[in-house]
Amino acid sequence: PPPPPPPPPPAPSAFVHPGGLHTDADFARMRTKIAENASPWVIGWNALQFSGHSSLNSDMWPHALTVVIRGGDGQNFGTMIKDMQRAYQLALRWKVSQDNAYADRAVAFLDAWSSTMTTLTGNADRYLAAGIYGYQWANTVELLRSYPGWSPEGLARFQKLLLEVFYPLSHRFLEEHNGANITNYWANWDLCNINAIMAIGICCDRRDLYNEAISYYKNGRGNGAAAHNVYAIHPGHLGQWQESGRDQGHATLGMSLCGALCEMAWSQGDDLYGYWNNRLLSAAEYVAASNLADAGGVYPTLPFFRYANRQGVFTGVSPAGRPHLRQCWELLYNHYVNRKGLSAPYTTAMAAKLRPEQRGTGDDPGMGTLTFSLPPIAQGAAPSGLTAYLVNGQVLLSWWGSAYATAYEVQRAPAASGPFTTLTTVGEERTHTDTPGAGTWHYRIVAVTPTGRLTGAEVRSVATAPQLRLHLPLNEGNGTTATDQSGNALHGRLVGGTSWGAGRTAGSSAVALDGASGHVALPTGIMKDMADFTVAVWVYRQSASAGNARVFDIGSSDIAYLALLANTSTLRFASTGTTYFGEENVTSSVALGTGRWVHLAVTRRGNTVTLFVDGQATGTLADAPFAPHQLGATTQNWLGRAQYGADPYFAGRMQDFRLYSGALTSVQITALAQ
């Protein structure tokens, strides 16, 4: 008999409404705090009342346009910005005061625009307009959708405008990036369009759009995705923002957009704020520090990795536009400090500097002191997010601190269960480099607060000598499994045109790759906690006709990876976070030959990367700061295949692939080669 039909898919979960930047619980809090004359809500409420955009003056009426143009001749988008801001602030004032006169005036703006506007156009800047204004319009609709005085037809008409005019542009930009190289457009271009797609998805009850936005933020190729908008994490969890080398106006715009995205997701029960160890907070601290001078007008010196993309090469934090005091910091401060109990000293200082936040410039909604302020958390969180990397024989520790901590104790033990000994006490830098003796050591962090000590739940273990993390002999002789002999069960898979051929010694087997589709797939995240490392493998190259074939390629896409490339006449190791524009290259003085077995190895110790051929160092780069852990838990880890789809597969055989945490010495490499 035929199989029974599959069960129907589960109905999509309903959205919270209003559930964009603000929820009904937020407005209940605002009303309560204003009635109590509590600060800072009262000063935030006053900022809204006197902003000039939330009044019922008779001259405050819509100026709707049929065609809105941003970029090129005939620009007129400023008219829409003013009406958009007025509608949003009138809606806020209604939700707080519950005076329907403000809702009626806000509805007048929405109805005028939805019944008049048909087109959003211009040069490439039209994509900025679709994103920045699309997400703000959608949030205003969210606030008013429950107002009995707004007709169902009016709501449906504005939803149609969002779906048919704004969303297609935002979707197309993330798909095509206006036909440009993927690194050409800065992070804010992606982020504003991700925001629009998420906000429109919520506003229009389109779960597919909402999921599209979250998926791009987590997995997208463009600079707005989380893996690329924070280029590198420096000690103390300082996240170098993708536009920090450009100027501070755009760097702070990234904070505004990324914060809004995370808050909208939070309203729907999804935590993007905490994604990838609070990646956004690392950026917020970095960008806030970039715009906070001391009493003498001196800005802090921040770590900066060389950044190269389609726009050029950047070597430091840009002073352009500094300080840029964008009205966007209350949201970030209140989530991470007052909601989660974390320490965020630079974000805290920036929010205090701008309090109360006023209306935004058009790129931001503003009014965050009123809308995002939360009561202080009763007790700070315990230290969290502890990372520990072996760097040049030392252990580099970083962690997230506690909201009320006065200091942090760094503790070490010979076993995960203790006993732990305090090594040192540090302040808000939240980083320490330890130089222990040989062995495996275990670390934890304790926060010292006015009311007691809080011990972090994480214990991180680090071996100061290289440890074999993954060992694939690649000599099974049959089947499609490459068995890991390290004891860590990190088994590989033979994929595509793979077979078994003669190994290095008589009677042994080696995996054979056909140069067309054959490769070995390695497990996800094999280098996610590594700074120093060693990769070693035996290779038999069939021919040198295909350049840029990969011996190995570790990454998640063609944007960020580390790879060993065998060209026709050269052998090269490359690591990057911005495609080929940003590659840190080590070129061997000896090429990979053909028709014989060759032992290849790459080591990283500190910032020095060395390439070995048959046990001999053949190339080195002493300034290569982009460590594997910056790539995160990579998903496309391959032997014989490239991240770039147009590059050739490797043709030949491989044996004895090894990955170590830590750098082997030249003597140890020579021993492997023998």
Side-chain angles (χ1 to χ4, degrees), residues 489-545:
L490 298 173
H491 309 301
R493 294 180 297 107
L494 277 60
V495 183
T498 56
S499 58
W500 295 97
R504 292 182 297 116
T505 58
S508 70
S509 298
V511 67
L513 309 177
D514 66 354
S517 65
H519 63 284
V520 178
L522 307 177
T524 294
I526 55 176
M527 301 183 76
K528 65 180 181 181
D529 59 351
M530 291 187 186
D532 290 359
F533 70 88
T534 300
V535 177
V537 63
W538 283 95
V539 173
Y540 185 101
R541 193 178 189 193
Q542 202 69 42
S543 69
S545 58

Side-chain angles (χ1 to χ4, degrees), residues 311-354:
Q311 296 287 351
V313 179
F314 305 87
T315 58
V317 173
S318 173
R322 184 160 70 179
H324 194 91
L325 305 179
R326 189 176 293 277
Q327 311 292 304
C328 69
W329 294 96
E330 291 280 28
L331 182 154
L332 296 163
Y333 159 71
N334 278 283
H335 174 80
Y336 286 113
V337 179
N338 287 338
R339 188 184 272 159
K340 303 301 291 185
L342 301 178
S343 170
Y346 293 116
T347 302
T348 299
M350 184 62 82
K353 185 180 184 70
L354 292 170

